[in-house]
Amino acid sequence: MYVSVIKPIILYAASVWAPAVKKIGVQKHLNTIQRGFAQKICKSYRTVSLHSALLLAGLIPLDLRVHEHADLYEAKRGRPILCLPDDRELERRVSFMTAEHPARDIEIGFSCLEDLEPATVEKYQLKGQLIFTDGSKIEGKVGAAISVWREGEERRAIKFKLERYCTVYQAELFALWKAVELVREGKERQTCIFSDSRSSLELLQNPKSSHPLGFAIKKNIEQIRNQGKDIRMFWIKAHVGIAGNERADELAKTAALHKRTLADYQECPLSYVKRMIRQNSLDQWQDRYTSGTTGGTTKIFLPDVREAYKIIRKIQPTSTAVQILTGHGGFGFYLHKFKCKDSPSCKCDPNANEDIIHLLTDCPRFGRERQDLEIEIGIKVTPENLKEIMKNVEKRQSFLEFGVTIAEKIIKENKT
């Protein structure tokens, strides 16, 4: 309900009214709306703070989401709010005014091949020049390559370098563009182009696609056909032993890792801008979360909002687990605040509050279970180590089982 109805309604025309979100009054209204839904999503008590509820529900504060939508809208218009790296240009979609009229749009199909055995070669009449294309992103670097074959031998290999922020999808399309350009400028009458990127080939089939590289590939294919040349496109499986495809993959990785020239393609994808916008939002959220006066117990378990999102997605906490992570539940210290219990003290010590941190890390009533857990996970259960325990998948699972067992026992005691 929140994702499909509430959020779209609130974010409607966000680019128009985004400046108003800086006002404290507007932020309070947005927080009121979001807090209720966040508490229901994570199954927490109504007293849980906004910071804790948002973190456990995996939601970004609404005012930051408003700014994200506004910044993304400006980026799509070609005016990104955040500076692009080294003043690079944003990869612009082709305007419908520039694109070909649908009635004159050329059809580009492709066939799917499992291998290039003699039977397949004969069936599909794979003659003339064979060009294999590939793109790769490795160690944060991006490369593309084409390998030209004829009569079972490689005749030419060309490597290309793309900027680090480019995607594999861009690299695959760029390699296809260069392959088609090679055919247009060459004298070969028959050419077969092979790519292991099905999404790139499907893009060429879509008449509504506005990707600039896809548009350039289509224009080149149209010119090739006008020259009377035959060009066909094929999708092949990656890493199944096809020599040309393996060679193109090797060349693309080599280009990414070792090519020292200026990048052959520098257009910044919209996905990079989205990532930078989200990074900025998370930085602001982290500052609020750290400096906020609420959600103290949650901060002990999950001090980092980025790590918290990854953890919460994996564990999908139950109602009892949420009580542990927030400290809001059937524990003496919490119940005493609302006059549901005469004393906040733990049974083990009148001077110790019966809160979840004490129960998990210090209460001698559960010393045996705690010791067994520490032997199992190889780390002492202390308030300082809880964040490290939550980061580790195996340790986290055992710790949560230990915590749920204790919480359920205490909650049952306090009900009587």
Side-chain angles (χ1 to χ4, degrees), residues 327-360:
H328 289 231
F331 315 117
F333 181 70
Y334 176 81
L335 295 173
H336 178 70
K337 287 183 178 180
F338 299 93
K339 297 181 174 55
C340 297
K341 194 177 180 183
D342 296 335
S343 171
S345 300
C346 182
K347 289 183 179 180
C348 70
D349 184 357
N351 297 319
N353 289 326
E354 190 186 75
D355 58 35
I356 190 61
I357 301 300
H358 166 74
L359 293 168
L360 295 177

Side-chain angles (χ1 to χ4, degrees), residues 140-259:
K141 301 176 182 179
V142 188
I146 59 177
S147 179
V148 184
W149 291 61
R150 192 175 182 85
E151 297 176 357
E153 294 183 359
E154 186 182 49
R155 300 298 176 87
R156 190 176 179 185
I158 309 175
K159 296 177 287 186
F160 308 101
K161 179 182 176 182
L162 288 78
E163 288 287 4
R164 285 174 173 266
Y165 49 71
C166 290
T167 63
V168 176
Y169 185 60
Q170 283 180 302
E172 296 280 6
L173 279 173
F174 184 79
L176 277 173
W177 175 46
K178 285 297 182 180
V180 174
E181 199 172 59
L182 186 67
V183 176
R184 179 176 61 83
E185 296 174 352
K187 297 179 180 179
E188 293 287 344
R189 308 306 298 178
Q190 286 187 320
T191 302
C192 298
I193 296 179
F194 302 87
S195 171
D196 59 14
S197 173
R198 187 159 186 161
S199 57
S200 299
L201 295 171
E202 289 175 344
L203 173 77
L204 302 180
Q205 285 186 321
N206 183 4
K208 297 181 180 180
S209 171
S210 59
H211 197 288
L213 286 172
F215 181 75
I217 293 170
K218 283 187 174 183
K219 294 297 287 185
N220 277 337
I221 292 177
E222 183 179 16
Q223 293 177 26
I224 289 168
R225 290 177 179 176
N226 292 337
Q227 292 172 358
K229 299 176 183 177
D230 179 35
I231 181 171
R232 291 185 293 160
M233 315 289 283
F234 296 91
W235 172 81
I236 53 175
K237 270 190 175 182
H239 310 301
V240 292
I242 298 175
N245 180 251
E246 297 295 338
R247 174 61 175 159
D249 179 64
E250 177 190 349
L251 290 168
K253 289 178 178 176
T254 303
L257 293 172
H258 305 298
K259 202 166 188 287

Side-chain angles (χ1 to χ4, degrees), residues 87-122:
D87 297 324
R88 295 290 193 259
E89 291 292 329
L90 183 69
E91 186 179 66
R92 303 282 187 87
R93 297 290 171 175
V94 177
S95 168
F96 71 93
M97 297 293 290
T98 308
E100 198 70 65
H101 190 278
R104 294 193 296 271
D105 191 47
I106 63 172
E107 292 185 8
I108 301 176
F110 67 92
S111 302
C112 299
L113 306 182
E114 297 290 332
D115 54 56
L116 286 184
E117 297 296 329
T120 305
V121 172
E122 183 178 353

Side-chain angles (χ1 to χ4, degrees), residues 46-78:
R46 290 178 62 187
T47 54
V48 168
S49 68
L50 176 66
H51 289 312
S52 294
L54 291 179
L55 196 78
L56 297 176
L59 303 178
I60 294 177
L62 266 177
D63 62 304
L64 297 181
R65 294 286 285 135
V66 169
H67 282 298
E68 280 188 357
H69 272 246
D71 292 346
L72 184 59
Y73 175 76
E74 293 299 326
K76 288 180 177 179
R77 295 183 67 192

